[in-house]
Amino acid sequence: VSDELPSVLMGNIWFFTLLIPFYTILSEIFQLLAPVLVCRLLPCVSTPLDVPVWSWRAVVASTKLITATEASYILGDASIQAWYFGLCGAKIGKGCIMSEQIMLPETVEIGKNSFFATGNTFSSVEVDQGRFRIPCKTIIGDECFFGNDNHIVEGIPTQTFVGIRTWVPTMPAEASSLFGNPAMRFARADALGEKPQSSCWAIFWFHFSSSFIDIFVWKILYSLQQGLSCDIGRTIFPEYPKTGWYGHFAAEVCLFALVDLIGWYLVSVVLVRCIYNDRVPQQNHFLSRQVMAWFNAQKIRKVFLPPFGGAQGTLWHASWLRMIGAKVGKRLFSATPDFLVDPIFARLGDDITVNYGAQVQQHSFEDHMLKWGPN
């Protein structure tokens, strides 16, 4: 059976693989540029807003919220997160450090020198009984700290500490430390000592590693892996026979699966275990090499996904967790594939059951220090 692909492509198939990195870079740039254009070119969202969910104003607001948030999750821990949300219309002061956030940019104002871990929501958006409401803007003061998965509605004052999975529906009267749903105040010891000074090299590597390597390089490697599968397959099987072609087809499918498996193992297991393992210090300044390696490892595992979805709910799940660094006992059952946020420090005993959505986190990031601890 003759090949339907053009002869010029078949004769230069390896050359086209070399073009994949450029396509990957352009694709990522487009995915980041499109939300900026959406947020800047569509009509502004004014507050307070109270319209039917089918209103064009509700559609505009929800579109901006969704596109900006999706772009934020592409950026991950990139140093340009705060700058990017500023491009989308948010007012953000200098010195802010952000991971993935959920917000409608033009309804958010943030002061200087605040820290935002992953998954926080800054919005007063409500959808209830057919109405789409944005009662107010969300105002964040200076020098605040946010852990993971908090929801801030009206805002918080300067120098407020918000823990993890905390809901703050109204603006607190004064700065404090908050935790829980609803938010409760708690006492917290002040940070000891002065903030460590970072070298010019550490600052440069933070920007280059988080905003170039983590955004582009790992996806380029993954796309080259896909191209390599195609190249090998077309080289070994340039034409299918008229009879028995299904055997060649099955062999090529297995080849794709094998290359994916080898690529995942070499990058997501071997490489990650080299740069991120339980020999790292348990306390590291934010701009340290260890934290940058941690960022790299998190991003790699989001790009090079495990085969078979991590094999959750099967006998292979524990073996997969051991491969990525966890110490797992006998008869583990988990309905969640990647429930260990810090697998290298996980120590799991026998007969453990993990339900849907459960997560084990073994790090904290307050005072600009990444602190790990065994489970």
Side-chain angles (χ1 to χ4, degrees), residues 246-309:
Y246 45 84
H248 287 66
F249 175 76
E252 198 161 356
V253 170
C254 292
L255 175 65
F256 270 73
L258 179 62
V259 172
D260 276 1
L261 183 61
I262 294 174
W264 167 78
Y265 180 77
L266 292 178
V267 180
S268 192
V269 176
V270 177
L271 176 60
V272 169
R273 291 292 296 273
C274 289
I275 65 175
Y276 171 62
N277 51 63
D278 59 3
R279 294 188 297 275
V280 300
Q282 292 192 6
Q283 293 193 26
N284 304 274
H285 181 250
F286 179 76
L287 294 182
S288 67
R289 177 178 58 84
Q290 290 80 8
V291 174
M292 296 306 105
W294 183 59
F295 287 166
N296 296 153
Q298 300 291 328
K299 194 67 173 182
I300 287 172
R301 286 180 175 155
K302 290 179 181 178
V303 175
F304 288 82
L305 297 175
F308 315 113

Side-chain angles (χ1 to χ4, degrees), residues 324-345:
I324 63 175
K327 291 181 172 57
V328 183
K330 301 175 182 178
R331 296 178 295 278
L332 168 74
F333 176 85
S334 172
T336 302
D338 198 8
F339 66 94
L340 297 174
V341 179
D342 307 291
I344 62 172
F345 291 108

Side-chain angles (χ1 to χ4, degrees), residues 79-279:
S79 62
I80 62 173
Q81 274 276 13
W83 172 79
Y84 181 80
F85 273 122
L87 284 182
C88 292
K91 296 180 180 179
I92 301 178
K94 294 182 179 180
C96 289
I97 297 173
M98 288 184 170
S99 294
E100 303 98 322
Q101 310 297 317
I102 301 169
M103 68 172 75
L104 176 56
E106 60 206 73
T107 64
V108 175
E109 297 180 8
I110 298 173
K112 299 179 293 184
N113 301 321
S114 292
F115 182 93
F116 303 82
T118 304
N120 294 293
T121 301
F122 301 99
S123 178
S124 62
V125 170
E126 302 173 358
V127 180
D128 183 43
Q129 297 182 356
R131 306 293 296 181
F132 185 95
R133 303 185 183 94
I134 309 178
C136 61
K137 289 188 174 183
T138 302
I139 312 295
I140 308 297
D142 300 335
E143 300 178 356
C144 296
F145 174 89
F146 296 86
N148 301 98
D149 305 318
N150 302 293
H151 185 182
I152 313 300
V153 179
E154 293 183 0
I156 59 171
T158 293
Q159 295 185 335
T160 298
F161 181 100
V162 183
I164 185 171
R165 297 183 176 89
T166 298
W167 178 49
V168 187
T170 58
M171 174 73 78
E174 59 183 0
S176 60
S177 298
L178 304 172
F179 177 80
N181 182 3
M184 298 177 290
R185 298 178 60 177
F186 69 96
R188 179 177 175 269
D190 294 332
L192 300 177
E194 297 182 358
K195 179 181 176 181
Q197 297 298 314
S198 299
S199 65
C200 293
W201 167 252
I203 295 173
F204 164 78
W205 186 248
F206 166 53
H207 291 293
F208 181 74
S209 177
S210 66
S211 296
F212 179 77
I213 294 178
D214 283 348
I215 296 176
F216 297 109
V217 172
W218 310 126
K219 290 187 178 180
I220 289 174
L221 282 179
Y222 183 76
S223 62
L224 285 173
Q225 171 188 294
Q226 304 303 304
L228 180 63
S229 302
C230 181
D231 293 343
I232 295 174
R234 302 310 292 169
T235 301
I236 297 176
F237 307 108
E239 293 185 359
Y240 282 7
K242 293 183 178 180
T243 59
W245 62 266
Y246 45 84
H248 287 66
F249 175 76
E252 198 161 356
V253 170
C254 292
L255 175 65
F256 270 73
L258 179 62
V259 172
D260 276 1
L261 183 61
I262 294 174
W264 167 78
Y265 180 77
L266 292 178
V267 180
S268 192
V269 176
V270 177
L271 176 60
V272 169
R273 291 292 296 273
C274 289
I275 65 175
Y276 171 62
N277 51 63
D278 59 3
R279 294 188 297 275

Side-chain angles (χ1 to χ4, degrees), residues 302-321:
K302 290 179 181 178
V303 175
F304 288 82
L305 297 175
F308 315 113
Q312 68 271 23
T314 72
L315 296 175
W316 297 104
H317 194 191
S319 299
W320 173 69
L321 292 174

